[in-house]
């Protein structure tokens, strides 16, 4: 039985019992890297995390296993207040899948490792750069009490990297822009202005990001909610 006293080896052994080759094949269709996957759903991993509870040292061990589910479990059970920027960098070196990135970004936001955003954005590796914009999106949504100026101060980064055509980067840049714009009226105006500027860009990727963001940010439904 999984408890807060379970160590990394016990958790990994439990994960192995839940292996599903059928699920592994299904995950591959969603662009999830499956060469080290057991085929366990995210909801099941979260259920295990609730039983195992937070344990930072154990999370570090789970990450080192290189198993998809163990790494997701590591991200769910790491202690944000104990996570250091150096640990986040080391984990980012291993990123090879969008779902790991997006889960890690939530943890990094909770750990308030904001200094890594510009650093990760400048990194040429696709999944590390995606992390920066997933963090911006997460901060815009989850940090309700954060000063708005902190949030829309990331708009220049969005503009700077809006021409990266790689799929997992451009989608994250678009996600970050839309998330800022949907936060509240104060953030909406500068985000929509940037979206409209990008929509007129001669660059194909920037133009797609801008047009897609304008479609949502200028929508009547959103405007009614923000007012």
């Amino acid at each position: 039985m999984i408890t807060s006293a379970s160590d990394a080896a016990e958790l990994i052994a439990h994960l192995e019992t839940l292996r599903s080759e059928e699920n592994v094949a299904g995950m591959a269709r969603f662009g999830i890297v499956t060469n080290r996957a057991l085929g366990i759903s995210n909801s099941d991993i979260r259920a295990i995390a609730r039983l195992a509870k937070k344990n930072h040292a154990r999370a570090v061990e789970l990450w080192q296993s290189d198993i998809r589910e163990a790494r997701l479990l590591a991200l769910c059970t790491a202690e944000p207040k104990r996570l250091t920027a150096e640990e986040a960098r080391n984990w980012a070196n291993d990123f090879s899948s969008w779902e790991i990135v997006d889960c890690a970004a939530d943890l990094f936001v909770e750990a308030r490792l904001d200094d890594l955003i510009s650093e990760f954005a400048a990194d040429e590796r696709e999944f590390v750069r995606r992390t920066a914009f997933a963090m911006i999106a997460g901060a815009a949504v989850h940090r309700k009490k954060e000063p708005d100026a902190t949030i829309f101060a990331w708009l220049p980064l969005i503009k700077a990297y809006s021409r990266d055509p790689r799929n997992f980067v451009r989608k994250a840049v678009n996600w970050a822009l839309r998330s800022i714009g949907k936060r509240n009226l104060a953030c909406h105006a500068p985000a929509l202005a940037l979206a409209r500027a990008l929509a007129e860009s001669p660059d194909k990727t920037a133009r797609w990001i801008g047009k897609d963001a304008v479609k949502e940010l200028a929508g009547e439904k959103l405007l009614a909610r923000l007012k």
Side-chain angles (χ1 to χ4, degrees), residues 60-211:
V60 172
E61 288 186 59
L62 286 169
W63 185 268
Q64 292 169 347
S65 72
D66 192 29
I67 298 169
R68 169 194 174 265
E69 287 76 4
R71 285 187 164 175
L72 287 171
L73 189 57
L75 295 170
C76 290
T77 57
E79 297 172 59
K81 291 183 179 179
R82 292 186 60 191
L83 183 69
T84 67
E86 193 56 34
E87 284 175 327
R89 289 187 187 98
N90 288 337
W91 289 2
N93 287 335
D94 296 328
F95 289 167
S96 61
S97 178
W98 64 265
E99 63 159 358
I100 292 285
V101 166
D102 295 357
C103 188
D106 285 341
L107 173 63
F108 296 172
V109 167
E110 192 175 353
R112 304 196 73 85
L113 298 177
D114 295 3
D115 289 347
L116 292 178
I117 291 177
S118 58
E119 178 182 325
F120 284 167
D123 196 299
E124 290 294 333
R125 291 172 291 180
E126 182 174 10
F127 289 105
V128 178
R129 182 168 289 173
R130 179 185 175 89
T131 307
F133 296 99
M135 288 178 69
I136 292 172
V141 171
H142 299 300
R143 288 194 190 161
K144 307 295 186 185
K145 297 181 180 179
E146 194 77 28
D148 292 330
T150 300
I151 302 298
F152 58 68
W154 286 315
L155 288 172
L157 271 182
I158 290 173
K159 180 180 180 181
Y161 294 100
S162 62
R163 297 187 177 197
D164 189 326
R166 291 174 294 181
N167 186 49
F168 293 112
V169 175
R170 71 186 182 97
K171 286 186 175 180
V173 172
N174 172 266
W175 177 23
L177 179 56
R178 289 185 293 106
S179 295
I180 292 175
K182 291 187 290 183
R183 178 179 169 87
N184 56 35
L185 276 176
C187 291
H188 178 265
L192 180 57
L194 176 57
R196 284 176 167 152
L198 293 178
E200 300 299 323
S201 171
D203 181 84
K204 179 181 177 181
T205 301
R207 195 163 60 247
W208 174 83
I209 290 170
K211 286 183 175 181

